[in-house]
Amino acid sequence: MSDLRTDNPLEVQIKLIRKYLKLKIMADNESFHGHAQERNHVYDLFKRTVAHGESHSALMIGPRGSGKTTLINSVLQQISKEVDLSNDAIIVRLNGLIHSDDKLSLKAITAQMQLENAVGDRVFGTFAENLAFLLSCLQSGADRRCKSMLFILEEFDLFCHVGRTQTLLYNLFDITHSAQAPMCVLGVTNRIDVVELLEKRVKSRFSHRHIFLFPNEDSQGAPHVKYRDLMVNMLCLPRTKTVSVKKNRRSRKSTVTSEDMEIDQETNSLPDTIISRHPNLQHLDQEFVQDWNAHVLSLAEEQKVLDCIEKLCYYTVNEQIFRNILFELVSKLSLNKPYIDVADLSAIIDNTVAPEHRVKLLQSLSILELSLVIAMKHGMEIFDGEPMNFEMVLHRYTKFANSNSSTQTVPRAVILKAFEHLQELEVIMPARGQDHSTDAGATRAHKHYRLQALATPTHDVTEAVTKFKALPTEIRHWFGNSVV
Amino acid sequence: MEELQNKVPCREEQLNGLFNLLGDGDECLPCSIFISGSMATGKTLCINAVLRCLSYKHVVIDCIECYTPKIIFETILSGLEDEEIEVKCETMMDLVNGLNRLQEAQLGYNPIVLVFDRAERLRNLDANIMSAFLKLRELCNLNICCIFVTHLIYESFNFRRGVREPIKLYFSNYNKEELFKIIFLQQKTFIHHLLVTYEVDNEIKGELEKPELFANFLNAFLSVFYRPCRDLIELQHMACVNFMKYCEPIIKNEISAMDLTKLWRHISPILKSSLELLYLRLSDAKAVKPSPGKENSDTDSIPHNFENMLKEELTSTKTFAQSFELPYYAKFLLIAAYLASYNSPMEDKRLFMKNHGKQRKRLQQVKAKAKISEKLNTQLGPKVFTLHRLLAIFYAILEEKIGLTSNLLAQIATLVELKLIAGSKEIDLDTAKYKCIVGYDFISAVAQTVGFNVRKYLYDFM
């Protein structure tokens, strides 16, 4: 492949830019913007726990992709600059998806506290005993001073899932009330009703401190303006201090944009930890970077771009989705196409917000299969959404096929197979309550007679039929006038 | 790249998309990719070709093979490990720990791709597993990307809790021209197959190898088959079977290879009849097996064989019905069961009694007579009936008088055993309930052998 052909400097630069931007979009989980109040709140909690030995508990609630984890990462990053986080505190991060029961959680806590040796083969009676032992281990350190602990529980709602006794949460919240050790428990979730899931004993020990993180809350302007800025921020490259004099000579740039870039300079670079892993990023040519930044800024000025982003914001304000879009956009860069195309952006956004995969799926069906779907749609229109079985659909289809001399007759077995294919693709689904009401064995409905409901919205069928170019006219006609 | 496009024809857009997303070796991978598209649209082929071309470290997990989380986790870890060692991994936590350990030990920041083929099966597992894989990149410290390949659309995976959204790609089905192009690429193998089966002299061989001949055949073939079926794999198979028949007269010197109209007239009935065999793959076992042995001895017997087979298959339900060789009374019992299943007990008197009297026509009945096609008994499926009703109908349709012997009752049990009637095996005269589970075609085939007209006794057809 075209892997590392270094003969073309332009290509090298583009590859570097692409790599840098991809890293920035996907791997950077520390730079956080906006939500100053909420961020300060979290910062305050952590800081007080670490520095002053206070105990706290809190819940952070916000929809998916609103930056909850990023916020925590950035706060931890900031605190680690101010105090010696690794010596003064222990951070335990649990995730409901991974640590699916209390035993695993405890194992993970032990590992993250680096106390496996201390525990050894000890057998504990209860969960509480085990946790208390862990804490006492910490206290018996050299200076007899207890370390503070930060518990961050992501996907908090899974920790209070039904069928799971909330022993872990109970014990954690309980410790925040005792003077055993300074501890901060921060739950992160996207369920707003999460407190209702807590057991009574857990609820009473929780401080009921909620931190809400809503994506549109703090921006004064419309969300798409914020996203535009975010795009500029994501796509701009940082300039190192060795900016040359050439800057002023470049004619393409207006004075306004260069001022903008001065502001951006501080915030838009990658965290050092990531840069250090990729040494070859240093080779970015400054002149090229400037050119690129100017390109991004001019892109942001375009009305079309703004329109696209506004459209996206109508559908979703999930930042992760926006990042995915930018990722796709950046990955299209190549030697033949060194700049971002507005048409690409709008195509990607259209694809993301309204993928219409169901319509495409319907169009991928063979004509016979689509005819069955249409027959079913007609049947459900006539009988007011009642589910149908294969025989009914077949009856309707044969009625159509017989009235049309041009359609070839297809044997029944093939139609049945087509029907099963539809079932496999979940275009049609077995009607509810069929399997439960009948008892097994003798009375279970035969394959041909099992009632099926159309699982596809009718407007999707309409759209698929109207946009399907290769569809024979008689079928289109049949679709149009419903009762044959 | 060009080489790849030759290998995977008609998928340029998707290949480019995948290449762009996966990027070069040292770039960041996306979090997860979701690939959907109907069956046989080259999803797995594309992704495997791209990964092989990029030579990224990757593990392909077939979710049918890996039916429990434990097997999935262990497949992933052992696939990434360089040496063959036994890995134990029971939970998601073990997997994440294992991945992180691998990262430190050998992988570093090299790209890793996990491909979940037939990902729709993941829905049967714990719901959290799929959401965890969707954000695996965040959970562990690797440059890792999960690709989900499935024939369902993303909306069919309804995650209740919301997940990190993947980047979605769609593989649309091949259209007629693309199918033509792809099958045409197989011409060589088709010809080869043909030459293995038949003995052909050189002159004809040259004519057979002409691409025009194959193109003509393919046009005729697709004009019949494209409508009911767009599945490439099935079409390829059917094309292979039918091409042999297409070339038969040419080999036997009956029709010249240039005479297209004659060839079309020869093949069109064959295509029509083989349409019935679509998806069944019946001919597979029979057609191939005798050919290697008989190849040299007598070529004449093979066409004869084909004809026999076709006839057999066309009347398949009939032969199937006759293959049971039911005794005389059992046949009547089966017919009675069918009638009991598809007639409502209300009409029994009218159908089976000689002097049922004249029906008074009330408005209600007239209305009921205007049968709604969708509510016909034959369409709603069989109803349950009791043993008493079965026997009553049995005696009504049987002309001669015979006694109710244990022999007769045993035959009911036999019918149940043969899965022609569903019901309890032991005969309890009071509570037994049955249901006939054979179709109309079957029963009319049976009825024919005893000279009975089923339609006459079905209320729906009156």
Side-chain angles (χ1 to χ4, degrees):
Chain A
M1 277 298 295
S2 58
D3 273 330
L4 290 169
R5 260 191 289 121
T6 42
D7 49 345
N8 190 339
L10 186 63
E11 191 177 354
V12 176
Q13 287 302 317
I14 287 172
K15 281 221 166 121
L16 279 177
I17 284 192
R18 202 168 76 184
K19 181 177 173 189
Y20 190 94
L21 290 177
K22 276 188 175 181
L23 270 177
K24 200 163 138 185
I25 292 166
M26 290 314 290
D28 177 13
N29 56 2
E30 283 172 10
S31 329
F32 187 75
H33 314 279
H35 294 288
Q37 199 190 342
E38 287 83 6
R39 189 173 183 283
N40 282 338
H41 200 151
V42 176
Y43 172 74
D44 209 39
L45 282 179
F46 283 0
K47 183 79 191 218
R48 276 193 284 176
T49 307
V50 176
H52 309 300
E54 294 175 18
S55 286
H56 294 287
S57 54
L59 261 180
M60 184 146 67
I61 300 173
R64 296 234 164 236
S66 54
K68 302 178 289 294
T69 311
T70 317
L71 186 145
I72 291 171
N73 283 335
S74 91
V75 167
L76 287 177
Q77 178 73 12
Q78 194 189 343
I79 290 180
S80 72
K81 278 182 196 151
E82 290 166 15
V83 293
D84 189 1
L85 204 57
S86 55
N87 271 333
D88 284 353
I90 296 172
I91 302 170
V92 179
R93 305 192 75 146
L94 300 177
N95 191 320
L97 286 174
I98 308 177
H99 309 104
S100 46
D101 64 44
D102 285 351
K103 229 193 219 157
L104 285 179
S105 309
L106 202 61
K107 225 163 123 190
I109 293 172
T110 318
Q112 291 188 31
M113 287 177 161
Q114 296 168 335
L115 287 173
E116 286 109 328
N117 295 334
V119 175
D121 297 333
R122 242 173 257 258
V123 181
F124 296 100
T126 64
F127 191 87
E129 258 176 58
N130 197 339
L131 202 64
F133 172 77
L134 291 180
L135 291 174
S136 68
C137 281
L138 289 175
Q139 268 168 332
S140 62
D143 52 355
R144 289 262 153 209
R145 197 181 141 268
C146 194
K147 281 184 180 179
S148 330
M149 292 198 294
L150 301 176
F151 273 88
I152 297 164
L153 309 177
E154 292 192 50
E155 314 283 346
F156 185 77
D157 47 326
L158 289 178
F159 283 100
C160 25
H161 204 266
V162 276
R164 183 169 165 170
T165 53
Q166 302 172 357
T167 328
L168 173 76
L169 296 181
Y170 170 74
N171 281 297
L172 285 181
F173 284 140
D174 199 37
I175 298 169
T176 61
H177 284 276
S178 68
Q180 244 180 324
M183 178 151 90
C184 178
V185 180
L186 179 64
V188 183
T189 181
N190 59 347
R191 275 186 73 161
I192 203 152
D193 64 337
V194 70
V195 181
E196 303 306 314
L197 298 174
L198 294 175
E199 283 171 22
K200 202 171 148 204
R201 55 173 188 160
V202 181
K203 209 194 248 178
S204 67
R205 281 167 176 77
F206 171 57
S207 70
H208 288 274
R209 192 184 278 120
H210 294 286
I211 303 167
F212 290 103
L213 208 61
F214 295 121
N216 287 340
E217 200 176 30
D218 67 345
S219 59
Q220 298 86 354
H224 60 272
V225 179
K226 184 187 129 199
Y227 267 48
R228 205 256 322 260
D229 295 343
L230 183 69
M231 183 184 90
V232 172
N233 203 329
M234 291 275 199
L235 295 182
C236 276
L237 296 165
R239 292 180 306 159
T240 41
K241 296 292 176 280
T242 56
V243 176
S244 55
V245 228
K246 279 177 199 157
K247 184 177 94 181
N248 299 328
R249 264 191 253 151
R250 299 204 65 87
S251 53
R252 287 179 54 181
K253 216 176 303 160
S254 66
T255 45
V256 189
T257 52
S258 60
E259 264 170 37
D260 277 348
M261 284 165 58
E262 301 288 351
I263 303 162
D264 283 340
Q265 190 178 323
E266 280 302 303
T267 50
N268 67 6
S269 72
L270 273 172
D272 299 332
T273 43
I274 298 175
I275 297 244
S276 59
R277 278 209 272 182
H278 301 274
N280 66 349
L281 287 178
Q282 309 296 334
H283 304 309
L284 268 171
D285 183 13
Q286 284 310 308
E287 197 180 325
F288 201 85
V289 168
Q290 279 185 14
D291 211 26
W292 172 260
N293 284 354
H295 162 63
V296 172
L297 285 171
S298 71
L299 196 71
E301 295 295 311
E302 273 187 55
Q303 186 59 35
K304 253 176 123 181
V305 174
L306 207 60
D307 288 345
C308 287
I309 298 178
E310 194 175 354
K311 184 175 176 190
L312 173 72
C313 289
Y314 284 142
Y315 287 93
T316 175
V317 281
N318 188 337
E319 197 182 305
Q320 280 165 351
I321 292 180
F322 188 62
R323 276 173 188 249
N324 275 349
I325 291 170
L326 290 181
F327 185 90
E328 281 185 68
L329 193 64
V330 167
S331 59
K332 280 188 196 286
L333 293 177
S334 66
L335 183 60
N336 306 327
K337 214 173 126 194
Y339 290 114
I340 291 174
D341 192 357
V342 184
D344 273 347
L345 177 68
S346 87
I348 293 170
I349 285 181
D350 279 346
N351 240 327
T352 314
V353 295
E356 296 190 329
H357 284 171
R358 192 175 272 127
V359 176
K360 284 183 195 157
L361 185 77
L362 286 175
Q363 287 175 351
S364 296
L365 296 175
S366 72
I367 290 163
L368 172 68
E369 284 153 1
L370 194 62
S371 310
L372 292 182
V373 171
I374 294 173
M376 205 145 169
K377 180 181 168 277
H378 285 167
M380 290 185 83
E381 265 167 19
I382 294 168
F383 294 102
D384 204 20
E386 292 263 328
M388 301 168 78
N389 64 24
F390 172 68
E391 295 289 334
M392 300 179 195
V393 179
L394 180 69
H395 179 81
R396 219 146 239 300
Y397 174 74
T398 36
K399 227 164 145 190
F400 159 71
N402 290 342
S403 68
N404 257 299
S405 52
S406 62
T407 47
Q408 304 155 349
T409 47
V410 187
R412 183 192 156 93
V414 175
I415 300 180
L416 181 62
K417 186 71 198 175
F419 196 72
E420 280 169 0
H421 190 224
L422 289 178
Q423 217 173 317
E424 193 120 318
L425 289 173
E426 297 193 6
V427 175
I428 55 173
M429 294 242 240
R432 246 158 248 235
Q434 275 285 299
D435 293 327
H436 305 294
S437 58
T438 55
D439 49 313
T443 44
R444 261 256 310 274
H446 196 240
K447 185 164 73 180
H448 301 204
Y449 302 110
R450 195 167 300 155
L451 290 176
Q452 304 274 353
L454 198 59
T456 319
T458 42
H459 62 85
D460 275 354
V461 180
T462 316
E463 201 167 324
V465 170
T466 43
K467 283 190 184 162
F468 198 170
K469 292 205 179 63
L471 198 69
T473 34
E474 76 266 10
I475 289 183
R476 196 170 306 215
H477 194 69
W478 178 45
F479 179 78
N481 42 356
S482 147
V483 186
V484 182
Chain B
M1 187 71 197
E2 266 133 47
E3 186 195 332
L4 202 70
Q5 287 195 346
N6 288 337
K7 235 199 286 176
V8 189
C10 304
R11 290 278 96 143
E12 284 86 10
E13 194 194 323
Q14 283 84 358
L15 282 176
N16 280 334
L18 279 174
F19 267 119
N20 281 337
L21 285 177
L22 296 177
D24 278 348
D26 57 346
E27 281 174 8
C28 201
L29 290 173
C31 196
S32 50
I33 304 176
F34 186 89
I35 296 176
S36 56
S38 188
M39 290 94 163
T41 47
K43 302 181 292 289
T44 311
L45 179 69
C46 273
I47 189 74
N48 283 339
V50 167
L51 285 175
R52 217 173 302 127
C53 177
L54 291 170
S55 64
Y56 286 179
K57 200 153 203 175
H58 65 273
V59 185
V60 180
I61 301 121
D62 190 329
C63 296
I64 290 185
E65 285 172 38
C66 306
Y67 54 92
T68 65
K70 190 179 172 220
I71 304 177
I72 294 181
F73 299 151
E74 285 177 359
T75 320
I76 293 173
L77 281 183
S78 57
L80 292 176
E81 202 92 49
D82 285 336
E83 304 103 55
E84 295 261 319
I85 45 167
E86 194 84 346
V87 216
K88 270 243 152 70
C89 183
E90 303 238 352
T91 59
M92 199 72 202
M93 187 174 94
D94 294 338
L95 177 75
V96 171
N97 288 342
L99 286 174
N100 282 333
R101 199 189 63 242
L102 279 174
Q103 188 250 339
E104 279 160 26
Q106 36 166 308
L107 297 170
Y109 203 69
N110 292 329
I112 296 166
V113 179
L114 304 180
V115 182
F116 293 88
D117 207 348
R118 292 185 247 260
E120 66 273 359
R121 296 278 171 144
L122 285 176
R123 295 184 304 171
N124 301 340
L125 307 178
D126 185 5
N128 290 336
I129 286 180
M130 179 111 178
S131 5
F133 277 124
L134 276 167
K135 59 190 298 181
L136 191 62
R137 199 194 159 81
E138 285 176 41
L139 300 176
C140 64
N141 220 344
L142 288 159
N143 189 12
I144 200 167
C145 173
C146 294
I147 300 181
F148 299 91
V149 181
T150 174
H151 60 247
L152 297 181
I153 49 173
Y154 184 70
E155 283 82 359
S156 300
F157 290 73
N158 35 3
F159 300 103
R160 261 187 297 144
R161 301 177 54 254
V163 284
R164 180 162 186 161
E165 298 279 320
I167 294 176
K168 293 157 213 148
L169 286 181
Y170 189 81
F171 281 54
S172 50
N173 215 337
Y174 303 106
N175 59 28
K176 203 168 174 177
E177 288 76 44
E178 284 169 332
L179 282 173
F180 182 88
K181 211 167 139 192
I182 295 169
I183 302 180
F184 195 76
L185 290 176
Q186 306 257 328
Q187 195 214 358
K188 286 265 154 55
T189 45
F190 279 35
I191 301 275
H192 177 74
H193 194 80
L194 194 72
L195 295 180
V196 167
T197 321
Y198 295 107
E199 234 170 49
V200 183
D201 45 9
N202 281 335
E203 193 186 333
I204 296 175
K205 191 178 159 192
E207 288 203 331
L208 285 178
E209 274 167 358
K210 273 187 191 154
E212 294 88 37
L213 180 78
F214 191 67
N216 276 322
F217 161 72
L218 218 53
N219 266 328
F221 172 76
L222 280 179
S223 71
V224 176
F225 276 82
Y226 179 67
R227 215 180 151 92
C229 175
R230 277 174 86 177
D231 190 310
L232 176 65
I233 298 169
E234 197 58 36
L235 284 177
Q236 249 168 9
H237 169 72
M238 292 313 284
C240 183
V241 171
N242 284 302
F243 185 59
M244 309 254 277
K245 292 174 192 165
Y246 188 71
C247 293
E248 244 171 57
I250 303 175
I251 294 168
K252 283 196 281 181
N253 263 329
E254 284 166 5
I255 305 173
S256 101
M258 307 308 287
D259 195 351
L260 293 178
T261 39
K262 240 184 186 170
L263 275 174
W264 164 245
R265 247 180 258 143
H266 158 73
I267 195 70
S268 63
I270 297 179
L271 285 178
K272 283 236 172 72
S273 59
S274 64
L275 193 59
E276 192 163 6
L277 310 179
L278 192 64
Y279 295 118
L280 293 179
R281 302 250 168 162
L282 271 182
S283 48
D284 225 350
K286 285 179 189 169
V288 176
K289 258 187 210 159
S291 51
K294 286 181 183 173
E295 196 176 11
N296 307 321
S297 54
D298 47 347
T299 36
D300 288 351
S301 76
I302 290 171
H304 175 68
N305 225 352
F306 269 135
E307 275 170 21
N308 259 354
M309 229 168 58
L310 265 176
K311 254 184 213 159
E312 203 177 276
E313 279 148 5
L314 278 176
T315 53
S316 55
T317 354
K318 205 171 164 188
T319 44
F320 180 63
Q322 280 159 359
S323 71
F324 278 101
E325 292 180 5
L326 291 170
Y328 185 71
Y329 290 133
K331 278 176 184 167
F332 270 103
L333 273 173
L334 189 60
I335 294 168
Y338 184 83
L339 293 176
S341 276
Y342 288 94
N343 284 321
S344 89
M346 311 273 283
E347 312 297 336
D348 278 356
K349 194 181 165 198
R350 199 173 133 59
L351 285 169
F352 301 113
M353 275 176 68
K354 290 241 165 63
N355 303 315
H356 51 75
K358 213 169 187 188
Q359 256 194 339
R360 267 180 285 153
K361 276 192 183 167
R362 281 194 230 121
L363 189 66
Q364 236 181 350
Q365 279 170 336
V366 175
K367 257 189 197 164
K369 263 267 180 173
K371 289 168 212 156
I372 314 160
S373 60
E374 260 75 9
K375 299 287 177 242
L376 284 177
N377 279 328
T378 36
Q379 291 196 5
L380 284 175
K383 302 275 183 305
V384 179
F385 54 87
T386 58
L387 181 65
H388 294 296
R389 189 161 164 240
L390 172 69
L391 290 175
I393 295 177
F394 172 68
Y395 280 115
I397 57 175
L398 198 67
E399 265 109 43
E400 55 195 299
K401 292 277 162 260
I402 54 157
L404 180 60
T405 57
S406 62
N407 196 6
L408 209 56
L409 291 177
Q411 288 192 3
I412 298 176
T414 314
L415 289 176
V416 173
E417 200 81 40
L418 288 170
K419 301 257 191 284
L420 301 175
I421 298 178
S424 51
K425 270 177 204 161
E426 65 270 21
I427 293 174
D428 182 347
L429 290 175
D430 294 325
T431 56
K433 291 226 161 100
Y434 299 96
K435 197 164 158 184
C436 181
I437 48 174
V438 292
Y440 177 75
D441 296 340
F442 189 97
I443 213 75
S444 60
V446 171
Q448 227 174 26
T449 56
V450 290
F452 182 81
N453 188 359
V454 187
R455 268 180 104 88
K456 228 171 88 186
Y457 287 95
L458 275 174
Y459 183 66
D460 286 345
F461 294 115
M462 289 185 76

